[in-house]
Amino acid sequence: MKTATRDTIFGLVMLGASGLLWLETTRPQYDGIPALNYGFPPDFYPKILLGIWAFVSVLIIVRSRMIAQAEAEGLHPGKLVVSMAVVGLYCWLVGVIGFLLATIPFTGLFMAVLGYRRPVVMLAVTALFPVGVWWLMSGPLQIFLPESPWFNSF
Amino acid sequence: MENILSAAQQLMSPAALAAIVLGTVYGTIVGALPGLGSVIAITIVLPFTYSMDAIPSIALVLAIYCSSVYGGSLSAILINTPGTPQSAATLLDGYPMTRKGRAAEAIGWATISSVIGGLFSVAVLIIAAPQLARVALRFGPIETFALICMALTCIAGVSRGSILKGLLAGILGLFLATVGADPMTGAIRFDFGVFNLSAGVSLIPVLVGLFALAEVFCRAAERAGTPIPKTESSGFVVPPFREWWLRKRTLIKSAAIGTFVGILPGTGASTASFIAYSEAKRSGRFRDKFGTGEPEGLIASETSNNAVTGGALVPTLALGIPGDPVTAVVMSTLIIQGIQPGVRLFADNADLMNAAFLALILCNLMLLVVAAAGSRLLTRVLSMPEPVLFTMVVVLSLVGSYGVNGNMFDVLVTFIAGIAGVAFRYIGVPVAPIVIGLVLGPIFEESLRQSLILTDGSFGAFFTLSHPIALGLFALAALLMAFAIATEIRGMQRKPAPDAPEI
């Protein structure tokens, strides 16, 4: 994608977002309580920010029309989407089956997604790293990570 | 004197000393690993600080901060890849030294320069921060508002890429800070019916997502095209004093440049090291040999980037205004420990601040010990496979986010921030202003609304001679903005695409 096109799309998205957030501030909860807000209701400051946000977005669109086209830096969308999907799935699984049960398969899978292919190292890291982190957190550091619904201790 | 002795006593506890030693070793390793850097290094250990006492946790974070900046020089010298952006100028003379078979000597120059730069900036911090805090005690809401305006303008203005995108990033950060309860009326804003949003958006999950997760995602997408060069292992050699003496002017000048640049919001160690390197190249004794493996180039870069650490802590501790994402994380650590950086910090926590200063001195000296004792081992870590490393970074980052409040919503915020971080890099939006905006947002809003109440709603009263400090700060902000706009317009005329994706 060209940088100018990319910036135009970004400016339009941000302009749209500022409009939607402005609409949100028109809801009754933003009127506040006059006795408490001294004439500056809860939407006063966000509206200033949204005004500047919209103005800067317009300037970004205008600027994108003025700069010459150049090719934007490309990423491999396939690898990006797969890595995001695996991390997203992991985040969800941590809450459902607990930290330890989710982290063990994630560790192996994510190394493979990133292109690592040494089974012995992968197996060792997959077995030791999640258990080590879990032990360190719930033991010495007393930070209790999400537990599975099937076991009492992890 | 009594305060200092008491602080030293607290710092000599086994927990604090262990924090300094382990923090220095860990920070050096993470700093040396390309793609990670100081923010990720500190965020990974945040969960460890939750259950620690104040002094050990502050010592740990400060040790990681100083050593991660130094650690970047190891990979710059050995594999021609700066571990952190701060060490980019180091490779210009560091790697040529390695190619000449003088890697151990280069590490010696870099280590001692880093220690001297760091100690110089700590001295400035010890002298300047309490004085600045004393002056800032006289700040009212209008002055605070003006100061934050100036800091945000500076951060947005000096961000690489487009000033408009930097500005929008700052606004985004300020806006994110409005989510949750209104500070004056308690009304809930922008929660969209999601209960967890009513408590606001926490800094750490956003920061971890924007930096750590986004870095992992980007590296995953780039992996095929960016192989890490083969690592050389190296020892540590102390260059003779006579050689230092010949380059003393560059050493002193670079330490001063680094400390001054560090104090300015938004600039950071990479800017400092390039300014110091350019200055040494212009005026150094051995300027003709720069780029061919001249130690003076290493001195300029490494002294200045480590001198930034103490400088950057001046506004963070004295005013509660972090100049970059690293100091924002340092500040978060203090807040987690129940310590609010700002004008009252030195008055209310003198013991703690003295301990922090002493910890900084020890951390810098520890760099020397760690490099001398373990540089051969530390440099071997550079050959750790990237997929293994990044997998660990993802897990530890998410644990860090979860640990802040102990809820899964923060993990979700981290993931979303990670995706946003990738998008921002692709579009060329700097993320540092988002983080600083999020940190400063609540105090910015509070000072604005208090100021308007004081002036009966008149913005005009902010710009009168009855508030000379505020007037000066507003003028400085306007000047910075005008300079940034002029630079951008000149850039647009010169080249087709004035911005490039970056952090």
Side-chain angles (χ1 to χ4, degrees):
Chain A
M1 188 188 283
K2 302 283 184 190
T3 48
T5 314
R6 178 200 68 189
D7 286 1
T8 308
I9 294 170
F10 173 64
L12 286 170
V13 168
M14 294 312 284
L15 188 62
S18 67
L20 287 175
L21 289 167
W22 187 284
L23 272 181
E24 166 72 13
T25 63
T26 57
R27 293 175 57 200
Q29 73 188 78
Y30 292 89
D31 294 339
I33 307 156
L36 286 176
N37 60 33
Y38 300 95
F40 303 106
D43 64 346
F44 168 75
Y45 171 72
K47 273 183 172 163
I48 295 177
L49 292 180
L50 288 171
I52 304 171
W53 176 335
F55 179 65
V56 176
S57 302
V58 171
L59 289 181
I60 287 173
I61 297 167
V62 172
R63 178 182 166 278
S64 71
R65 298 292 89 198
M66 288 165 69
I67 60 170
Q69 292 275 4
E71 202 60 46
E73 188 181 294
L75 294 167
H76 297 282
K79 285 180 177 178
L80 187 66
V81 170
V82 170
S83 61
M84 284 178 176
V86 171
V87 173
L89 182 69
Y90 170 59
C91 291
W92 177 72
L93 277 178
V94 168
V96 177
I97 61 171
F99 172 79
L100 196 57
L101 292 185
T103 307
I104 290 172
F106 167 78
T107 306
L109 180 63
F110 200 60
M111 281 190 284
V113 165
L114 293 178
Y116 197 60
R117 297 286 181 271
R118 293 181 64 183
V120 178
V121 179
M122 286 171 79
L123 208 63
V125 174
T126 303
L128 298 175
F129 176 68
V131 177
V133 173
W134 172 79
W135 174 81
L136 198 65
M137 293 296 153
S138 44
L141 296 174
Q142 296 285 296
I143 296 170
F144 298 101
L145 299 169
E147 290 174 359
S148 73
W150 309 294
F151 303 98
N152 278 337
S153 51
F154 60 89
Chain B
M1 193 64 197
E2 220 170 86
N3 277 346
I4 294 171
L5 283 176
S6 145
Q9 211 169 9
Q10 293 182 63
L11 202 62
M12 288 300 136
S13 70
L17 288 177
I20 290 173
V21 175
L22 294 176
T24 307
V25 173
Y26 162 81
T28 308
I29 291 171
V30 177
L33 294 166
L36 297 185
S38 308
V39 177
I40 297 176
I42 299 175
T43 49
I44 284 175
V45 299
L46 272 182
F48 298 84
T49 66
Y50 303 152
S51 55
M52 289 164 80
D53 288 338
I55 289 179
S57 69
I58 292 168
L60 179 71
V61 169
L62 292 176
I64 295 170
Y65 180 28
C66 296
S67 55
S68 57
V69 175
Y70 158 72
S73 68
L74 296 180
S75 43
I77 290 167
L78 295 174
I79 58 172
N80 202 25
T81 307
T84 55
Q86 296 97 311
S87 299
T90 305
L91 62 83
L92 298 174
D93 280 287
Y95 189 60
M97 284 181 85
T98 299
R99 292 187 65 179
K100 289 177 183 172
R102 295 163 59 200
E105 197 190 319
I107 290 179
W109 283 106
T111 307
I112 296 173
S113 302
S114 298
V115 171
I116 294 173
L119 289 176
F120 179 90
S121 70
V122 176
V124 173
L125 172 70
I126 292 171
I127 297 164
Q131 306 301 329
L132 186 60
R134 212 164 290 148
V135 172
L137 268 176
R138 280 177 274 166
F139 279 22
I142 296 178
E143 284 77 13
T144 306
F145 176 72
L147 182 69
I148 297 174
C149 273
M150 196 274 289
L152 285 173
T153 311
C154 197
I155 291 159
V158 299
S159 303
R160 276 184 298 165
S162 158
I163 168 77
L164 290 174
K165 290 177 186 172
L167 203 59
L168 189 57
I171 299 290
L172 268 175
L174 290 174
F175 188 82
L176 272 179
T178 66
V179 174
D182 171 30
M184 282 176 76
T185 63
I188 302 298
R189 302 180 294 191
F190 306 106
D191 65 335
F192 306 103
V194 178
F195 174 73
N196 285 297
L197 280 177
S198 61
V201 179
S202 300
L203 171 69
I204 298 299
V206 173
L207 202 123
V208 169
L210 287 177
F211 283 89
L213 273 197
E215 178 67 35
V216 172
F217 290 150
C218 285
R219 291 298 279 263
E222 287 169 0
R223 266 192 61 72
T226 53
I228 296 292
K230 197 175 176 299
T231 310
E232 302 272 345
S233 179
S234 174
F236 170 90
V237 168
V238 179
F241 179 75
R242 193 172 53 84
E243 294 291 317
W244 283 103
W245 190 251
L246 293 172
R247 296 164 176 88
K248 61 182 181 301
R249 279 170 63 92
T250 298
L251 186 72
I252 296 165
K253 212 187 277 183
S254 305
I257 290 173
T259 308
F260 178 71
V261 171
I263 293 171
L264 300 176
T267 43
S270 28
T271 312
S273 68
F274 275 107
I275 293 175
Y277 188 84
S278 306
E279 176 53 26
K281 201 174 175 183
R282 189 190 66 77
S283 62
R285 187 172 193 151
F286 301 95
R287 56 184 175 273
D288 297 340
K289 292 184 190 165
F290 269 48
T292 63
E294 167 49 46
E296 198 166 13
L298 267 178
I299 291 177
S301 164
E302 281 305 303
T303 311
S304 57
N305 68 21
N306 266 72
V308 165
T309 53
L313 287 172
V314 174
T316 308
L317 297 179
L319 305 174
I321 294 181
D324 57 28
V326 193
T327 43
V329 193
V330 173
M331 192 167 134
S332 303
T333 315
L334 290 172
I335 294 169
I336 287 168
Q337 290 294 335
I339 303 150
Q340 183 62 49
V343 293
R344 297 287 318 161
L345 181 64
F346 292 89
D348 297 342
N349 298 286
D351 260 16
L352 202 68
M353 282 303 96
N354 287 328
F357 292 153
L358 290 175
L360 268 172
I361 294 170
L362 274 183
C363 295
N364 279 292
L365 294 174
M366 191 53 67
L367 283 182
L368 206 57
V369 179
V370 166
S375 69
R376 195 168 288 277
L377 194 67
L378 289 176
T379 50
R380 278 192 198 283
V381 179
L382 286 173
S383 46
M384 187 171 180
E386 224 181 64
V388 176
L389 180 74
F390 283 142
T391 303
M392 291 177 173
V393 168
V394 171
V395 173
L396 291 172
S397 303
L398 291 175
V399 167
S401 295
Y402 175 83
V404 179
N405 298 310
N407 71 45
M408 284 304 294
F409 182 74
D410 284 340
V411 175
L412 179 67
V413 171
T414 308
F415 180 61
I416 293 169
I419 295 172
V422 174
F424 287 145
R425 281 180 192 213
Y426 177 68
I427 299 162
V429 177
V431 294
I434 301 177
V435 173
I436 307 299
L438 183 56
V439 173
L440 297 179
I443 184 168
F444 189 61
E445 176 175 11
E446 197 180 293
S447 59
L448 171 66
R449 286 166 80 171
Q450 282 177 352
S451 304
L452 285 170
I453 291 168
L454 284 174
T455 60
D456 287 326
S458 162
F459 274 107
F462 290 22
F463 308 97
T464 58
L465 285 174
S466 53
H467 298 284
I469 297 174
L471 201 60
L473 290 167
F474 281 128
L476 193 58
L479 271 175
L480 284 168
M481 188 52 81
F483 177 74
I485 291 170
T487 309
E488 174 144 345
I489 290 170
R490 272 205 304 276
M492 280 173 70
Q493 287 164 350
R494 256 192 237 124
K495 53 186 178 180
D499 52 5
E502 58 101 27
I503 297 176

